[in-house]
Structures are given as C-alpha cells and as structure tokens.
Amino acid sequence: MKTITTLFAATAALSLAACSAEPDTDVTDIEGPAKSEGEAAAIAAALPAGDFMDLELGAKIVGPQGPEVTGTLSNAEGSFADIRSFVACPAGMDPCDPKTAPEGTVFTYVHVIYPGEDNEKNTGSGAGNDSSDIERASAFKMMRAAHGFTGTVGYSKAEALAAVGAKADVVITCKDGALIWSVEAGGGGDQWEQAEPITFYWQSTLPPAGPADAYAIDANYAKATGPGPYPADKAGTTNACL
C-alpha cells in the first residue's frame, strides 16, 4: 500500500500525496518548515483536511427530491459539471430527520463534483451538456457562507489521487465565511479534468433548508454555479470560517 503524505504548497498548499514503499502509513500533515513567506501564509490559511473514506455516516436526509439532489454547475456557455449532493446524520442515526434530530446533531454535507457530465441520463445535465470539454478544473467552492460550519471538512483523497495524481495540491480555505477547495496539479502533470469525479464534504450543526444556488466550480478558466443542499442561518450559530 502506497503512502499518502499530505503537504502544503505555496499557493495551493496541502499537498495530497507523495508515494513510498512503506505500507500502512497514515496521512500526515506538514513536514518541515515553510520555505517562504508565501508558503507560510498559505499554511496558516489552510484548514486541516479529512478523508471522506474515514467518515462514518448514518442515514441520509430524505427531501422532496429523495435522499440525493442532482444538478449542474453552469453558466451562459453551458454546463461545466454535474453535482450530486446529500446530507447525512451521524453514524447510527436512522432515519435522519432534522425535525426529530436532537439539538447539536452534526450534519455532513457531501458533494460529488463530476467535471463535464456523469453520463447518467436522469441526473445533472445528462445528454443536454453543451459545454466544451473540461481540460482543467481548479476549484470547487461555496458562494454563500457555510452557516453552522464546525471546522470539519475534507474530500476523497483516493479520488483526487486518481484524478490528478501524486503531485496534486488540494487546499481548503475560507473566504467571507464560505469554503473553497482548490485543486492544483502544478507545472506540467495531470489536471482535474473531464470525467474525473471528486467527493468533497463539510459538516454543520444546521440541517439543510433546501437546495440553493450556493456552489460553483472554476473550470476552463470560467466559473459555473449551481444548486446543492444548503443550511439557512440561525441566530447564535457559529461558523468556523468566521
């Protein structure tokens, strides 16, 4: 089993992986001091990233669209990605009903971002995708504040490795209360591109109020936006980004 070592880079810190021959080594954080002021600033701004495969989740919330919400991230030029989202309760909680969930329940928001389309005719853009081929996607992000954000956030590191390779830099930062997952392959190397899904997640003490146009992808040097489960703000609730 190859080692996945998480490092931080200067502009898109948190390096996803560096492989070695030693088996069964856990993901680690920064190794060694920052090499420049820019790298130090990036390290300071980055949030610790968990691995989606390590999560233990309970049942999903079942809303008007079922347990999952599908859509597209698009702009005037067309659809740039399909998005499939769900919100889950903690492990052991089934069913997952916000109306009966105890106070303080942590909800996990999960978003699978599929640049281009997922080739499923009944989800997202399906056969209607009319965007150009996605040669480079550089970020998945929220366009609104992450209400109730607990500070726990991450992505599927195995999927990122498969999509971008061992030189990938994935950094999670906050901006104006919202979350940004930046994906960068560096000079040369593979990029996050067409038909390479990556799963991202974050946790909140607030349940979704319904789908909202709160999410976006930066792809082919353009921004495309679309819907996903999103929590309404509540007085007295904190946001770890703030």
Side-chain angles (χ1 to χ4, degrees):
M1 178 179 174
K2 291 186 177 180
T3 301
I4 299 176
T5 304
T6 304
L7 306 171
F8 286 100
T11 57
L14 197 60
S15 182
L16 173 66
C19 296
S20 75
E22 296 181 9
D24 301 325
T25 302
D26 293 333
V27 173
T28 60
D29 291 324
I30 308 167
E31 290 188 353
K35 297 178 182 179
S36 67
E37 290 185 5
E39 185 173 340
I43 290 171
L47 298 173
D51 191 342
F52 180 69
M53 295 301 293
D54 293 336
L55 292 181
E56 295 183 2
L57 301 177
K60 301 174 183 177
I61 293 176
V62 179
Q65 298 184 37
E68 296 185 349
V69 177
T70 59
T72 62
L73 301 176
S74 61
N75 59 27
E77 296 180 6
S79 300
F80 281 69
D82 281 3
I83 177 172
R84 176 170 58 85
S85 306
F86 64 87
V87 181
C89 281
M93 189 176 292
D94 188 2
C96 182
D97 185 351
K99 294 181 180 178
T100 59
E103 187 73 21
T105 296
V106 173
F107 299 93
T108 301
Y109 289 70
V110 180
H111 311 282
V112 183
I113 308 303
Y114 202 110
E117 59 176 312
D118 61 10
N119 299 318
E120 296 290 336
K121 65 180 181 179
N122 296 322
T123 66
S125 53
N129 182 30
D130 60 352
S131 68
S132 59
D133 183 63
I134 305 303
E135 297 180 352
R136 180 175 182 173
S138 58
F140 170 63
K141 55 191 178 183
M142 297 181 67
M143 303 303 295
R144 304 185 188 183
H147 301 312
F149 175 45
T150 64
T152 298
V153 61
Y155 58 97
S156 171
K157 298 187 177 183
E159 289 176 347
L161 274 174
V164 191
K167 292 185 178 180
D169 294 327
V170 179
V171 63
I172 306 171
T173 54
C174 296
K175 182 178 180 180
D176 299 328
L179 288 160
I180 300 172
W181 291 258
S182 297
V183 181
E184 176 63 54
D190 197 9
Q191 302 290 334
W192 182 27
E193 54 191 350
Q194 185 85 9
E196 294 179 336
I198 298 180
T199 300
F200 304 91
Y201 73 90
W202 61 287
Q203 292 186 337
S204 173
T205 56
L206 296 173
D213 287 330
Y215 302 93
I217 188 173
D218 289 341
N220 287 5
Y221 303 98
K223 182 174 75 174
T225 63
Y230 178 74
D233 197 7
K234 181 179 179 181
T237 302
T238 60
N239 176 348
C241 273
L242 300 173

